[in-house]
Structures are given as structure tokens and as C-alpha cells.
Amino acid sequence: MNILAPVRRDRVLAELPQCLKKEAALHVRKDFHPRVTCACQEHRTGTVGFKISKVIVVGDLSVGKTCLINRFCKDTFDKNYKATIGVDFEMERFEVLGVPFSLQLWDTAGQERFKCIASTYYRGAQAIIIVFNLNDVASLEHTKQWLTDALKENDPSNVLLFLVGSKKDLSTPAQYSLMEKDALKVAQEIKAEYWAVSSLTGENVREFFFRVAALTFEANVLADVEKSGARHIADVVRINSDDKNLYLTASKKKATCCP
Amino acid sequence: MRPPAQARWEGQGPTAPLRLRSGARWGRGRPHCWVYVRVRVTIGYHLDRDDSGGMATTSAASDSACSAAPPPVGGAQAAAAVEEEEREVVRVRVKKCESFLSPEFRSFAVDPQITSLDVLQHILIRAFDLNGKKNFGISYLARDRLGQETFLSLLSDWDLSTAFATASKPYLQLRVDIRPSEDSPLLEDWDIISPKDVIGSDVLLAEKRSSLTTAALPFTQSILSQVGRTLSKVQQVLSWSYGEDVKPFKPPLSDAEFHTYLNHEGQLSRPEELRLRIYHGGVEPSLRKVVWRYLLNVYPDGLTGRERMDYMKRKSREYEQLKSEWAQRVNPEDLEFIRSTVLKDVLRTDRAHPYYAGPEDGPHLRALHDLLTTYAVTHPQVSYCQGMSDLASPILAVMDHEGHAFVCFCGIMKRLAANFHPDGRAMATKFAHLKLLLRHADPDFYQYLQEAGADDLFFCYRWLLLELKREFAFDDALRMLEVTWSSLPPDPPEHEVELVGPPSQVADTGFGSHRGRPVRQRHMLRPAGGGGGAFEDAVVHLAASSQGPSGGGRLLRQASLDGLQQLRDNMGLRKDHLVQLSHPATLISSKSLSEPLLNSPDPLLSTSSRPDSPSSSSPPSTQEASPSGDIAVGSPLMQEVGSPRDPGKPVPPPPPMGLPPPQEFGRGNPFMLFLCLAILLEHRDHIMRNGLDYNELAMHFDRLVRKHHLGRVLRRAKALFADYLQSEVWDSEEGAEATAPS
């Protein structure tokens, strides 16, 4: 962990990547939050640059979770990889608005018999990516259960959710259109951002992960800025300091609790 | 018969030098000389009895230290080596304390470069003639910064290095504390390492024989690993200690040697000796096809060469018949689901290995697919689960015959099917045992993991599930597997390996008569907490019940019983299945006292896999018996499982636990736990030095898939395993207390 790989040229984000569908997006701003932009310009991003944000990838057996991660991290569609047992992980380095930032992608096992062991790796996740197969209605139906399992280990208000349909290359336009309608409905229900990708062709894979990195980074910086702001106010207004301290304490407890 | 020149400690005076088997005397005429035993690469130590306990002798020895006469060859180089040794050697003075006996003293010198804790322990065993005493602690005199003197325990190689570095001027002061321990029949019955196979002399007492046998392993392993000596050199050095037949380190088993284990009709007459031989050296690659069938318990006992050929032909035909019956045994939707799942995994199993590197429709991938599909179809209670392709792959690559590989796969799955059961109980037990072992072996590391929240050791999940097959490069994995399998007692089938498992009965564990989609939906829509929580609950309860007596221990145990009962209810086990579960504990308890335990793992697996077929060797009355707390060798874990129907009944307090005995440890594979421990300890310093957290730990070991160093891991695992077998900690209250973190 001491020696971090340098950020690749193609992992630099200067602008906020856009969502795929406005109907199911975490937010539809065209730019980073102004406070985030300001904090980065003034180099007041706290420890975000040295932080590793945890992202877990869940979903049914063989919907293509590992292929999706490998496509982005290794830019390959390599068939000679191993079936996930327990958990695998990949680390990706980014530079967002000039600040180094790392995503820790946790690839979990989709088979039923490994679900119980995989759940221990859900704790501490900042983003949850739920993958389903665009050609398998059942895998879409199961995404809510995957989300329920993952949220047992995390505070829902602090987690970014992404619903990703995979294997788009196997869909005909008509089939895809029908499935997308259903998927958008599910995404709106669970308050997730919707994406459709193909690991085989690479369609939307890079855009999707850049979006995950950007939104996770933004959430981290906003959290840090808010903490700084609270401390600043506490120093000046004595009466308010009690309330603010209480808020900080509650916030910390809430953020770290595991039910 | 003992060599006449062998040293006898009791009869020698304080200045008598160590006598080599060849009869050569070193420094005969020079009192108080330090003499070094060496052949080519030097292991320096000399034992000198010092009964008076006076400091004068030690001081005199130090003052008059001088070189032994140089060996006949390489005079100049030898002289230089002696000079270097004099600068490097650490003088050790040892005081032995044993209950009310008066203390004894010994002095000797060692080379810290090649002296591990194991080596030191066995020097001490020889020096004080401790063969009959199984438990002793070592501590060394240390001075803190204020000059205060205190004895610190020597529990690891790290401790020993610290002692050498900080407390060896002018000499290292050690204390050996002897702790009496009860003798146990367990070690005598546990036949993985048989005394008569290691020591040829029948003159030795049975007790000494066992002690010497297990003591030999870590001593010789450590020597070999550090000095890299040839086999003949090892025999030459060690023969004066243990006799002619010590052959602990060997090259892989060759075809010629293998045939010495067969009689004139080709029957295997010494299965235990064959396993011990493979445990030490593995099998030549070209011979694996034949020998692995014994290690995987494919052949019933006593088959001649011709009978074995006929047997394999018959079983292969049986397999081909089963393969043609897929459509008759499952409905089309279920078959399609099984096949597609198997195919996806086959296409990503060991594809980097030449045997599986061919095109996706190649014959070897098809064979692997057909083998796994046939198993899933004929064993609906197990079906197919990711990971099984990793277990089947090396077997098929070695056998290079689909039918033979299937029979072997059935042999290994007889033992491992429980790993893949949805209730997670087998895996939970293994995690609990690995946790116990780590805490036992390295309390500081264990505490570190606890503070990091990683003491659940879930990053070892793949290790335990696949018995480390994926953790080593493919060819290394083959060696690791055969060594591990050979550490298990032979378990041949009574008549034949059964190729068909019990039919599906519990709906949520098999495909039975359900259509594909409803089955998948049921799997994924399992009640919240039921699936995900069960495994972790089981781990927690087993860990709690493994803690032994403590404040609230009884309450914890009662809670564990309730938890186990609830867990079982949640899993939907039927009532008569509970009856079967209470059965193995009784069998194990009885056998522990009265019978060899060669087949003890079998009742558990037989009962688990055949809930409606009670063991024919078991009288009906045993089903009513409940294990008594008075059976000291019984495991609390098994006792609790044995009393599921009386949760309200007070359970007799179990005996204090060190580690579970071999027939229970690791649920049928204790050596595998020591391999896991060896890997963990190999990376211990890196982990603690860098302060890796929970996630970083998992990432660290995930990066090491297929990259572990087989030689180092095997050596360490074998040494630790030998210590475990020798220590019999599981029987001794004093032992448990002594090794507990203090």
C-alpha cells in the first residue's frame, strides 16, 4: 500500500462524466458540485487523495461481474480467468480535478452457496454496483435481494447505488428496449443510477466506471468539506458548538455502524 | 540394535566429549574444549554435562575455548571455518526445573544462523534425555533497559532470534520447565506417522518410540531446510541419534520403490507406510496416475494387480452408463442449468495449463465438463458448485482418462462434499479450527488480526474450500495435494467406490423435480438473514464454544446449543436427521478409547451423506447414548452436537481445550490447517509491519493466488504439524494453560 501505482494518462478526469439516462440518475448536474470544485482548486480536499474508496460488485451467478471489472481494469475480454470464489479485488487509480483518488473494486461470488461468505466484504462500501444480465429477466428480478443483502452491512444514506445491465451485445434492439423499461423502473425504485454495458464490445464500460469514480470522489470531498465547515463554525459560535459536536458524533456513529 | 558407540548421557563425566558413531574422538586430551560436530557444512554444538551447577565450569570453559583438531580434509578452509564459527557461536547454559526434583544444568554452543526453535528444542531433548516427557517450556534470561533481569518465554523463532541478538553475552541463559502430562492412547492410535516405519529398533519402549517418531520430523526438517544437505549426509549425522532407518527427507516416490510396497500378487501390503513415504517426498509425476488412486481411496483393500485392472474397467463402464443417463435422471430445465453453469466454469479453470489450454471444444475440456455434469446429476444433494472444477481439474490432468478421473473425483468428494453444503456447517467448523490454531500458534498475530477485525479469517475461504489447490502453481499444487492426502489415514471403500449419491430430498439443496426457473428463484429469494446469517452465526457459535472455560463460559455454551438448534431448524433438517447427527459423536467417543481411528472421519461423512441409512456397524442402542463429559478425549464441539434434543438439560463442563484431536481437527484434514497456518505465518511480519487492515489483508492474499512458495510452506507446515502431534495438547489441562496467551 505504501507505493501506489502512478495514475495512467487515460484515468484523468477534469469534467464530470454524464449519466446514461436522466430518468434514473443519482444526479443530473453537468458539472461537479461547486463546493467540490472550489475545494480542489484551493487544495482543501483533506485526506481524499490518500483514501481508497471501496466499491462492491454484486449480482447473480455469471451475469458478467468479473468480465465487467476485467474489461475496465485490464481492457481485455480474457476468457482464461478464474471463477470467483469468495472475493477478488482490483485497484484502479484516478486523478479527479487534479487530486489522486483510488477505487477498490471488490468482485464477489454470485453463486448462492457463497453469498453468506461474500456478505462480510460488503462492510464499508461507498458504492454498490448491482449487475444483471440484460437477456435474463430473472437476474433483474434478483437485484433487489442483492441490494437488501448488501445494505445490511452499510448505512443506506451513505452508499451510492448503480444498477448495471450487462451483455448488451447479445440483445436485439427490440429486446433491449423492453428490458430497459423494466430496468429503469427498478432503478427508480431503489434510487440507483442505471447503465447498460457490454464487456465484449466495451460499450459504455469506461464511461460507467469514470462515472462511478467521479461520483464517489464528489461524495468523499463533500463529506470532508462539511466536516471542516462544522468544525469552523464550532470554533466561533460557542452556543452552537454543542449542537455541532452532537451532530459530528451522531454522524460518525451512523457512518461506521454495522447492523 | 543400537550402535555400540552411541552416546549415553547418564554415564559420562562433565568433560566427556560427544562421541560420533564412527568412534572418532574430538579433543580427547583437552579438558573444557568446545568441540563441533561437522561433516561438510557445519552444525556446531557440543553438549557438556554440568551437574555441579557452579559458574566456575562455565567460566573455565569460556576461558579455555579452543579449536578441535581439524578434520582430515581441507585443512586450511576448515581452519578458516572454525575461526568464523568461533565468532558466530552463542554459548548456552541451561537449567532444567522439574517439579520437586533438584535442578540440572547443561552447557553447549550453537550457531545462531542455523539454530531454529525446533532445533534448539531437540538439542534440549537430547541433552536432558526428555524423551519420556512431552511438555516443557523454554524461557531465557533477559535484561530490560533498567538492568532488571527476568525470564521471557521462547515460543517462536522470532523469540529465539531476539534472544540471540539481545541476551547472549557472555552466554544465553535458558531455563527448561518440565510439566508432567498424562499419556494418551490417541497418539498410539493415530497412524499417519508410525513409529516402526521411522525407527527400526524394537528395543525402544512404545512411549519413547512415539515421542522419538514425532520429534524427528521438525528436527530433521529444520536441519535439512537450513543446511541443504544430501540424503546420505543426513543419515550419517542423524544415525547416531535415531538408528539406521531414519529417512525423513526423500526424493519423490519412484516406480521401482513403489513396487516394494506390493507383494508378489500386486497387493498393497503396507498402505500406511506408502502414505508416510509420500508424505515426505511426494510422487514422481509419471507414477501419479497409479498412486493417486490409493491416496484417493479408490481401491478396496487387498486387490491384486489383475483385480485392480478389472475393477477400474468395470467402474469406467459404470461411469459411461451414468453419463448416458443425464436426461433420465433430471428434467431438461435442470440439466440445462447444470450444464451451462459447469461449462462457464470449465472454460475458466486452469486454462493456462497445457492440458486445458486447447480450444473450447477440445477433448479435455469436454471431459471435465462431462465429469462434473455427471457428478451433479448423480449427486443431486451436492449438485454442482463453483470450486468443484478446481478440485476435479488436477485429477483429470493426472489420470488423463475421464472414467478413472470420475471414480477418483467421487473418492475425494466423499470427504469434501460437505464443504459445498449450503448450510455452511463444515466450512464453519474449519474456520473455527483454523482460528483456534492461529491463536494457539501465534497469540500476538492473532491479537493483531482481532484488532483489525480480521480474525474471522474469511480471506482464507478459498483456501479451506479448495484445500489450497488454487494457491499454488499447478505443478506445485499437485505435490501439495498428494502430500496432504497422504497425511490422512487410509480409508478404502468396503467394496467399491459408489458412483451415485443419495437422491434429492431437501428441496432447497437439490433440483429434484422442480423446473429450472423456480429453483433459481427460490435460491435467490431465500428469506432475509436465513442464508446470509446462518454461516456467520455458525462460525460465531463454534468459535464461542471453542473458547473453553471462561467467565460466563457455561452461559456461552448454552447459547451455542440454542444457536445450533435454531440453525438446524432453520436449515429444515428432519427429525431423524437429528438422530443421525447425534450418532457420530458416540462413535468417535467410543473409538477414541478402544479402537484405532483410521476410519474415524468416515462415520461423520457417511452419516451426513446417507441420512436414511444408519451405519451397519453401529448397534441400535448407540442412538440412545449421549456422550459423557467424563470421556476426556471427546471434543466439546462433538459433545454439543451430540445433545441437540436436550437444550435445556445442563451439559457437563467439557475438559479444557487446547486443540481438537487429529481425527476431528480440520474436519477430517488436520494437515491442511497447518498449511494455512504456514502461509499466514510466512506473511505475518509483512502484515504486522505494514499495519494492513481488513481489506488490505484480503487484497494481499488475493494477489498471491498461485504464487506461494511450496517448499517453504511445506517445510513449515510439516514442522508445525509434527509439534502438534507430539504435544498432545488436546489432552492436557496444564498444556492448554501453558500455551494460552498470558
Side-chain angles (χ1 to χ4, degrees):
Chain A
M1 295 300 103
N2 297 333
I3 303 176
L4 295 172
V7 178
R8 287 161 49 178
R9 293 182 188 276
D10 63 352
R11 296 283 193 253
V12 175
L13 286 77
E15 297 174 357
L16 179 68
Q18 298 301 291
C19 59
L20 184 72
K21 291 282 180 177
K22 286 183 164 55
E23 304 95 308
L26 290 175
H27 70 64
V28 295
R29 288 194 299 272
K30 293 193 179 300
D31 296 306
F32 284 103
H33 192 288
R35 298 173 74 182
V36 171
T37 308
C38 183
C40 293
Q41 288 170 353
E42 300 175 5
H43 303 290
R44 290 189 292 101
T45 55
T47 59
V48 170
F50 303 96
K51 205 173 180 182
I52 298 169
S53 288
K54 183 173 181 179
V55 179
I56 62 173
V57 184
V58 301
D60 275 0
L61 171 73
S62 294
V63 291
K65 304 184 290 300
T66 305
C67 285
L68 178 62
I69 292 175
N70 284 343
R71 180 62 175 183
F72 178 65
C73 296
K74 297 165 179 161
D75 202 23
T76 61
F77 190 71
D78 184 3
K79 292 177 177 175
N80 289 319
Y81 65 100
K82 56 196 186 304
T84 309
I85 290 178
V87 69
D88 293 322
F89 89 99
E90 293 288 341
M91 184 82 76
E92 273 302 305
R93 300 274 296 148
F94 295 88
E95 183 184 290
V96 186
L97 295 175
V99 178
F101 183 63
S102 297
L103 280 190
Q104 190 184 91
L105 295 165
W106 290 80
D107 183 16
T108 62
Q111 191 155 26
E112 169 70 14
R113 281 178 247 204
F114 298 136
K115 228 172 74 171
C116 53
I117 182 67
S119 67
T120 66
Y121 290 102
Y122 295 159
R123 70 177 83 155
Q126 293 183 267
I128 300 175
I129 299 172
I130 312 160
V131 185
F132 68 98
N133 183 343
L134 283 163
N135 310 280
D136 181 0
V137 180
S139 66
L140 174 60
E141 292 169 1
H142 299 159
T143 53
K144 292 179 192 174
Q145 184 63 44
W146 283 109
L147 177 60
T148 301
D149 292 342
L151 288 180
K152 286 179 209 164
E153 305 285 339
N154 293 284
D155 177 7
S157 64
N158 284 338
V159 178
L160 303 178
L161 303 180
F162 296 86
L163 182 67
V164 179
S166 63
K167 311 197 182 189
K168 190 179 180 188
D169 50 287
L170 300 177
S171 269
T172 65
Q175 287 171 333
Y176 174 75
S177 178
L178 287 176
M179 179 66 91
E180 187 185 56
K181 193 179 305 180
D182 290 339
L184 287 172
K185 192 181 306 179
V186 172
Q188 288 158 4
E189 281 179 37
I190 64 178
K191 296 184 170 57
E193 178 161 307
Y194 170 76
W195 283 78
V197 303
S198 166
S199 302
L200 184 65
T201 66
E203 178 183 355
N204 284 342
V205 170
R206 175 190 161 93
E207 292 84 349
F208 167 67
F209 279 107
F210 272 41
R211 177 75 172 174
V212 173
L215 294 188
T216 311
F217 175 85
E218 185 181 55
N220 269 277
V221 175
L222 281 175
D224 258 37
V225 167
E226 286 169 3
K227 287 180 182 176
S228 301
R231 280 194 295 273
H232 183 69
I233 294 173
D235 290 339
V236 174
V237 183
R238 182 173 176 81
I239 295 176
N240 287 343
S241 66
D242 292 337
D243 294 334
K244 292 305 176 184
N245 286 342
L246 186 63
Y247 169 78
L248 282 173
T249 303
S251 177
K252 283 184 179 178
K253 285 183 178 177
K254 194 177 185 185
T256 57
C257 77
C258 294
Chain B
M1 179 176 294
R2 279 184 162 216
Q6 184 160 352
R8 292 193 180 84
W9 299 108
E10 290 82 355
Q12 292 187 0
T15 59
L18 178 69
R19 187 180 302 216
L20 292 177
R21 178 167 175 254
S22 62
R25 287 176 177 268
W26 301 93
R28 176 195 301 260
R30 306 180 188 182
H32 310 299
C33 285
W34 296 94
V35 180
Y36 303 103
V37 178
R38 60 175 167 270
V39 177
R40 182 170 298 167
V41 180
T42 299
I43 304 170
Y45 71 90
H46 165 70
L47 298 175
D48 190 1
R49 180 177 287 263
D50 184 358
D51 290 325
S52 66
M55 289 288 293
T57 303
T58 302
S59 300
S62 301
D63 294 340
S64 62
C66 59
S67 304
V73 299
Q77 290 177 348
V82 170
E83 272 191 0
E84 290 178 6
E85 288 158 16
E86 284 184 330
R87 286 195 293 268
E88 292 176 356
V89 297
V90 171
R91 292 178 177 81
V92 183
R93 187 167 186 269
V94 188
K95 176 184 180 183
K96 187 193 82 170
C97 307
E98 182 175 1
S99 51
F100 306 107
L101 303 180
S102 60
E104 294 177 46
F105 296 88
R106 300 284 186 273
S107 301
F108 54 89
V110 297
D111 181 344
Q113 300 298 319
I114 60 173
T115 305
S116 68
L117 183 58
D118 290 331
V119 173
L120 178 65
Q121 284 171 339
H122 291 92
I123 293 174
L124 295 174
I125 288 176
R126 291 298 306 166
F128 290 103
D129 198 18
L130 299 176
N131 296 322
K133 302 179 174 66
K134 297 180 173 54
N135 286 304
F136 65 89
I138 311 173
S139 53
Y140 72 99
L141 186 64
R143 297 170 190 82
D144 60 19
R145 293 176 182 175
L146 302 179
Q148 185 72 29
E149 294 185 343
T150 180
F151 276 92
L152 302 179
S153 292
L154 278 178
L155 297 172
S156 68
D157 285 329
W158 175 262
D159 291 338
L160 185 57
S161 298
T162 303
F164 281 145
T166 64
S168 58
K169 306 293 182 185
Y171 58 86
L172 180 62
Q173 173 80 54
L174 296 184
R175 189 176 69 196
V176 171
D177 298 285
I178 308 296
R179 307 184 194 98
S181 67
E182 299 172 354
D183 288 329
S184 167
L186 279 177
L187 185 60
E188 299 291 342
D189 292 330
W190 186 253
D191 205 22
I192 290 179
I193 301 170
S194 172
K196 67 181 185 297
D197 298 332
V198 176
I199 300 175
S201 174
D202 290 326
V203 176
L204 291 174
L205 296 175
E207 182 180 278
K208 286 189 174 181
R209 200 181 300 162
S210 301
S211 179
L212 286 171
T213 299
T214 53
L217 286 178
F219 177 62
T220 52
Q221 292 294 335
S222 299
I223 293 288
L224 289 168
S225 67
Q226 295 177 62
V227 306
R229 305 180 67 171
T230 63
L231 182 58
S232 58
K233 297 300 182 185
V234 171
Q235 286 174 308
Q236 186 174 347
V237 169
L238 295 179
S239 57
W240 62 266
S241 299
Y242 294 114
E244 299 287 347
D245 293 324
V246 175
K247 299 186 176 70
F249 174 81
K250 286 191 172 184
L253 178 75
S254 67
D255 186 67
E257 187 181 354
F258 172 63
H259 279 86
T260 67
Y261 292 90
L262 308 176
N263 64 19
H264 65 283
E265 289 184 335
Q267 293 164 316
L268 179 66
S269 53
R270 298 175 284 150
E272 292 86 1
E273 295 170 26
L274 176 65
R275 284 176 182 246
L276 181 66
R277 171 64 179 87
I278 295 167
Y279 178 79
H280 286 299
V283 182
E284 262 182 21
S286 59
L287 197 56
R288 284 183 171 132
K289 185 179 294 192
V290 173
V291 173
W292 275 26
R293 292 181 210 158
Y294 290 100
L295 296 182
L296 293 171
N297 300 308
V298 163
Y299 297 129
D301 267 338
L303 295 190
T304 64
R306 172 164 295 281
E307 286 167 346
R308 281 198 302 275
M309 292 175 65
D310 293 342
Y311 175 81
M312 291 310 292
K313 284 179 183 173
R314 185 170 70 255
K315 300 305 283 187
S316 293
R317 281 197 300 269
E318 187 179 341
Y319 168 72
E320 295 297 329
Q321 176 64 30
L322 293 174
K323 191 163 79 159
S324 69
E325 293 175 357
W326 291 351
Q328 301 158 52
R329 290 178 174 266
V330 294
N331 63 66
E333 292 89 351
D334 291 339
L335 179 58
E336 183 54 34
F337 179 73
I338 292 172
R339 292 195 66 187
S340 64
T341 308
V342 168
L343 182 61
K344 283 169 183 164
D345 284 350
V346 164
L347 294 180
R348 49 188 181 177
T349 297
D350 294 322
R351 299 297 302 285
H353 188 268
Y355 193 83
Y356 296 109
E360 290 185 0
D361 56 353
H364 297 161
L365 294 182
R366 172 171 294 280
L368 187 58
H369 165 272
D370 289 357
L371 185 159
L372 291 165
T373 301
T374 303
Y375 184 86
V377 167
T378 55
H379 296 75
Q381 288 191 18
V382 187
S383 190
Y384 176 75
C385 178
Q386 283 177 321
M388 291 180 191
S389 61
D390 282 271
L391 296 176
S393 159
I395 294 174
L396 178 60
V398 164
M399 295 298 146
D400 196 26
H401 184 289
E402 189 181 331
H404 294 176
F406 183 79
V407 183
C408 292
F409 185 67
C410 290
I412 195 172
M413 287 302 285
K414 182 181 178 188
R415 186 169 60 81
L416 291 183
N419 277 9
F420 298 94
H421 197 280
D423 69 6
R425 276 191 54 77
M427 291 298 294
T429 301
K430 296 183 184 190
F431 271 107
H433 287 178
L434 180 58
K435 193 170 174 176
L436 271 179
L437 178 59
L438 178 59
R439 190 183 62 174
H440 190 87
D442 196 330
D444 292 336
F445 188 30
Y446 180 78
Q447 183 180 342
Y448 171 90
L449 293 174
Q450 267 188 320
E451 289 164 1
D455 55 307
D456 53 24
L457 301 179
F458 282 169
F459 54 89
C460 302
Y461 187 85
R462 187 180 57 240
W463 303 6
L464 295 175
L465 184 79
L466 306 181
E467 301 207 314
L468 296 152
K469 178 265 170 182
R470 206 188 274 186
E471 308 314 307
F472 298 92
F474 193 91
D475 289 335
D476 282 351
L478 300 182
R479 173 57 44 77
M480 182 276 303
L481 287 173
E482 64 201 8
V483 168
T484 300
W485 298 338
S486 69
S487 73
L488 305 173
D491 183 26
E494 191 172 348
H495 302 295
E496 309 189 350
V497 172
E498 298 184 18
L499 303 189
V500 179
S504 170
Q505 289 179 341
V506 185
D508 62 353
T509 60
F511 297 100
S513 59
H514 301 276
R515 290 176 295 132
R517 176 164 293 191
V519 168
R520 272 178 278 178
Q521 283 184 332
R522 178 179 300 104
H523 282 188
M524 301 318 300
L525 296 177
R526 175 169 294 191
F535 177 74
E536 290 180 86
D537 287 345
V539 171
V540 171
H541 287 129
L542 285 170
S545 64
S546 302
Q547 298 299 312
S550 61
R554 191 183 294 268
L555 185 60
L556 275 177
R557 201 159 301 109
Q558 184 60 44
S560 298
L561 286 176
D562 292 337
L564 289 174
Q565 181 68 44
Q566 184 176 355
L567 178 63
R568 207 164 295 112
D569 291 341
N570 289 342
M571 292 297 108
L573 295 178
R574 295 182 307 162
K575 189 172 184 181
D576 55 355
H577 198 186
L578 293 182
V579 173
Q580 296 301 323
L581 282 179
S582 65
H583 184 236
T586 303
L587 278 182
I588 287 179
S589 299
S590 305
K591 288 190 173 183
S592 298
L593 292 177
S594 59
E595 296 179 41
L597 297 172
L598 290 182
N599 295 323
S600 59
D602 184 56
L604 280 171
L605 291 177
S606 290
T607 304
S608 300
S609 57
R610 296 178 183 79
D612 289 334
S613 57
S615 170
S616 59
S617 65
S618 165
S621 60
T622 59
Q623 296 184 13
E624 301 302 323
S626 64
S628 164
D630 295 331
I631 304 178
V633 296
S635 163
L637 293 178
M638 295 309 301
Q639 284 173 356
E640 284 157 12
V641 172
S643 311
R645 289 169 295 168
D646 301 312
K649 181 179 178 182
V651 179
M657 272 195 74
L659 295 171
Q663 72 275 16
E664 297 163 15
F665 205 27
R667 239 195 97 117
N669 192 349
F671 183 69
M672 175 202 50
L673 293 183
F674 288 89
L675 286 168
C676 295
L677 176 64
I679 293 177
L680 290 169
L681 296 181
E682 184 99 337
H683 296 268
R684 172 204 195 271
D685 291 336
H686 169 82
I687 290 167
M688 294 181 76
R689 188 187 316 122
N690 293 280
L692 302 192
D693 67 17
Y694 185 90
N695 289 331
E696 289 161 344
L697 266 164
M699 294 188 285
H700 175 75
F701 284 113
D702 193 58
R703 283 195 198 97
L704 291 167
V705 166
R706 300 190 218 284
K707 291 187 173 64
H708 293 286
H709 190 286
L710 178 66
R712 287 202 303 267
V713 172
L714 272 180
R715 277 192 291 273
R716 196 194 287 253
K718 286 179 177 178
L720 292 162
F721 187 45
D723 281 343
Y724 160 77
L725 292 176
Q726 180 195 12
S727 69
E728 299 179 17
V729 171
W730 56 88
D731 294 316
S732 169
E733 179 171 353
E734 293 85 350
E737 288 175 359
T739 54
S742 59

